[in-house]
Amino acid sequence: MINDTSAPNAFAALVWPHRHAADFTASRASYITDRVRTLALALAILLPLWIPVDYLLLSFPDFVVLAGLRLGMAGLALLLYFLSPSRGGRLAGAWGRLALLMLIPFSLYVAARLQLGPADGDMLYGYAFFPVLVAAMLAVFPLTLLEGVLVGFPLLMGYAVVEGVFGAPAEPHWLGMLWLLALIVAIGVWTQLSQLRMLLDLSWRATRDPLTGALNQRSLAERLQAEHARWERYGRPLSVLAVELRSLDTVFRQHGADIANRLVAEVTEAVDRALRPTDLIGRWDDNTLIAVLPETEEAAARQLAARVREVSELASIRLSAGVTVRGEQRVAVAVPVAQENLTAFMARVVLTSGAGKAASTSAA
């Protein structure tokens, strides 16, 4: 469905992840996962490189424990790299992978603090920077304000608890470190929001029809391709509505392009209100809207088509001369059939939308 908060300058989209459109959420999940994979691979390579330094500086029992932990965490990071999907995935999965990535360096810090204890604080320099590393890593992800706080606040509280319980709470240096960590988290959250704002802007320009705010043809085709592939692979129900604005050409000739464009926007908004939150709507061409209905059998799609036709014909533009211009729409339902590829299916969808008729105008 159309989600106005995905448009540029929408503050709510920077705060709440659920205010994003479904297509942007899927893209952001892939973006987060890609960066998790990159950082996981970097950790898998870099963590073992410090082992020779620990060998020179630490006692042998401490070295054995921490070297084993470094190798184990490097292996976990490598596993995270290979098990994370290179494309696609859900946002909840991306959150989980991000949380696991953050836990790897912080767990090493906690283990070093437990193993070395407060008396060996000088030996922690190979591990003391890990909380700062975690805070800095957050800056590379396009997270909302809520997500940034939910990740950054536990990091600060975790550091305070570890230092207060296992460190030297009477010494003031860890409070300075906590303050520095809070500043880095704040800068990281600001950077996250800047990235998210840029991605929202780019996504809106790349995927939306500027007149209606619905998906443009390219983005709609990509989403339909994904749903069609899911239908082919798993046999999940799929239906498509084709809404043809039959009177648009006549409205254009009688009232001009501005009124015709306003009517298209009004009809699109009316159709969108009739759809369900899981449905997608896009503008296929000047006169045709396409709604993709995942998990919808043909009978349910026909019931929805009747409601769409009813509400779309109520959309109108009131002119200054006291004339109301209404559109006349035709709504067709199509479902894929066996052995039919996506190209043939879409050709059938567009053909079933029918030809245009005259405009419908009425005096107020």
Side-chain angles (χ1 to χ4, degrees):
M1 297 185 72
I2 298 173
N3 191 328
D4 292 337
T5 58
S6 293
N9 304 317
F11 177 74
L14 298 177
V15 179
W16 310 106
H18 69 276
R19 299 300 297 271
H20 299 158
D23 55 316
F24 179 78
T25 297
S27 298
R28 190 167 72 97
S30 295
Y31 194 84
I32 292 173
T33 299
D34 286 343
R35 295 200 166 187
V36 166
R37 296 181 77 244
T38 300
L39 291 176
L41 182 60
L43 286 178
I45 296 172
L46 296 176
L47 285 178
L49 295 182
W50 190 263
I51 291 178
V53 179
D54 280 347
Y55 178 77
L56 295 175
L57 298 178
L58 301 179
S59 65
F60 187 73
D62 290 339
F63 164 74
V64 171
V65 173
L66 293 179
L69 285 172
R70 278 184 175 271
L71 291 175
M73 290 300 174
L76 181 60
L78 198 61
L79 191 64
L80 180 61
Y81 171 79
F82 283 111
L83 293 184
S84 298
S86 58
R87 293 187 61 185
R90 296 184 178 274
L91 185 59
W95 285 340
R97 287 183 282 272
L98 174 59
L100 182 58
L101 177 71
M102 298 296 111
L103 282 174
I104 290 174
F106 194 78
S107 298
L108 268 176
Y109 170 75
V110 174
R113 173 53 82 186
L114 290 173
Q115 181 67 27
L116 299 177
D120 293 327
D122 292 339
M123 296 299 175
L124 272 175
Y125 60 84
Y127 298 85
F129 70 92
F130 277 138
V132 177
L133 174 64
V134 174
M137 286 167 60
L138 291 176
V140 305
F141 296 98
L143 304 181
T144 63
L145 179 60
L146 177 63
E147 292 167 342
V149 170
L150 288 178
V151 177
F153 184 75
L155 171 63
L156 296 176
M157 292 300 99
Y159 177 79
V161 169
V162 170
E163 287 298 320
V165 175
F166 303 108
E171 297 182 6
H173 74 276
W174 75 273
L175 290 175
M177 183 65 177
L178 181 62
W179 174 248
L180 175 63
L181 199 60
L183 289 178
I184 296 175
V185 168
I187 294 172
V189 170
W190 178 82
T191 306
Q192 293 168 2
L193 295 178
S194 298
Q195 288 190 69
L196 181 60
R197 173 66 177 79
M198 180 185 67
L199 288 179
L200 284 167
D201 190 11
L202 293 175
S203 176
W204 182 267
R205 295 173 185 272
T207 63
R208 300 289 166 167
D209 174 61
L211 176 63
T212 63
L215 294 174
N216 58 27
Q217 187 185 78
R218 181 183 62 82
S219 298
L220 182 63
E222 290 176 354
R223 298 305 302 274
L224 182 56
Q225 182 179 16
E227 292 297 333
H228 189 270
R230 199 161 67 96
W231 167 80
E232 283 186 317
R233 184 171 184 178
Y234 302 110
R236 304 305 304 169
L238 173 64
S239 298
V240 172
L241 300 185
V243 182
E244 185 201 10
L245 285 70
R246 307 179 71 180
S247 59
L248 190 62
D249 291 339
T250 304
V251 172
F252 177 82
R253 289 193 300 268
Q254 293 181 354
H255 303 285
D258 181 61
I259 299 301
N261 288 339
R262 288 172 57 189
L263 182 61
V264 171
E266 288 290 332
V267 170
T268 304
E269 184 177 353
V271 172
D272 180 64
R273 287 197 300 266
L275 297 177
R276 303 160 302 183
T278 55
D279 300 330
L280 298 169
I281 183 172
R283 192 179 183 193
W284 190 255
D285 56 34
D286 290 344
N287 292 36
T288 307
L289 304 173
I290 297 292
V292 182
L293 315 178
E295 301 292 334
T296 305
E297 301 284 357
E298 183 176 2
R302 293 195 178 280
Q303 293 178 357
L304 184 59
R307 185 164 76 248
V308 165
R309 183 183 301 107
E310 180 181 353
V311 299
S312 66
E313 292 185 351
L314 295 177
S316 62
I317 301 296
R318 186 177 179 85
L319 305 181
S320 58
V323 175
T324 299
V325 179
R326 291 188 174 88
E328 182 181 346
Q329 284 68 245
R330 174 175 176 174
V331 183
V333 177
V335 295
V337 297
Q339 308 302 320
E340 182 181 44
N341 60 30
L342 179 61
T343 302
F345 176 51
M346 276 311 304
R348 183 161 57 86
V349 169
V350 175
L351 286 175
T352 55
S353 62
K357 286 187 177 181
S360 172
T361 60
S362 62

